[in-house]
Amino acid sequence: MEPKQASFKNDPKFNMGRTGEKTVAEILQRRGWYIIPSYDYSGEDGDKAPKLHGAFNSYVIPDLDASKEGCRIWVEVKTKTAATYTRITKRLEHGIPYRHFRSYKEVEQITGCPVYLAVYEMETGEVLAGRLAELAKNARYSDSAVMGKMIFFPRDVFKVVARLDEKVAGS
C-alpha cells in the first residue's frame, strides 16, 4: 500500500488563500452581491482549478462569480501578507502568474463579464481591487527561473474597497 499523500488543503498557503477568498466573498455579500464561489467546483478532492470548458479549449476561472442588480462580474482573489517593493520600478506591487492573467482575459472575452482582481493584504487589513483590464495598463511583466512568467501591478492603481475592521460593519 502506498503512503497517503498529504492534502494540499493542510498547506498554510492554501489556507491563507482560502481565508482571503471567504473574506472578499463576505464583503461582497454584505454589499448586496450574490456569490458563486468557483472553488466549490474544484474536483472531487478540491485539487483542480475550476475551468470554463469549450469544445477545444478550457480556461481557469476567477475565484468568485458575483451578481447584483443585473450586473455580473468575476473576482479573482489573492491573499498577500503585504505588497512587495520592487527596486526596478521603485514601487509597491502585487503579482499573479501570467498564464492565469491570460486565462482571465479569455474568460472576460467569452462571458462578456468583467474580471476584477482583489488583493487582501493581511498586514494592512485592506482589500484592494481593480478591473484587470485597467490594472494591465500599468503592468510589468517578468520571467524568472524561480517564479516563471508573472505580471505585476502597482499597488497604487488599486482602489481600497474595504478594511478588515469594516468587514464586520458591512460597509
Side-chain angles (χ1 to χ4, degrees), residues 71-136:
C71 177
R72 186 175 186 192
I73 63 173
W74 295 97
V75 183
E76 173 60 18
V77 181
K78 293 297 178 195
T79 305
K80 308 280 187 169
T81 303
T84 304
Y85 181 78
T86 306
R87 287 181 303 189
I88 296 169
T89 59
K90 296 180 177 38
R91 66 186 186 193
L92 292 170
E93 298 177 331
H94 286 294
I96 64 172
Y98 183 70
R99 65 187 167 87
H100 290 167
F101 170 75
R102 281 193 0 246
S103 191
Y104 302 148
K105 281 179 40 177
E106 289 294 330
V107 168
E108 181 172 287
Q109 178 72 31
I110 293 165
T111 66
C113 301
V115 175
Y116 287 81
L117 177 61
V119 179
Y120 169 44
E121 287 182 339
M122 295 173 65
E123 196 172 90
T124 64
E126 294 178 333
V127 177
L128 314 171
R131 185 165 176 187
L132 206 56
E134 292 299 313
L135 296 174

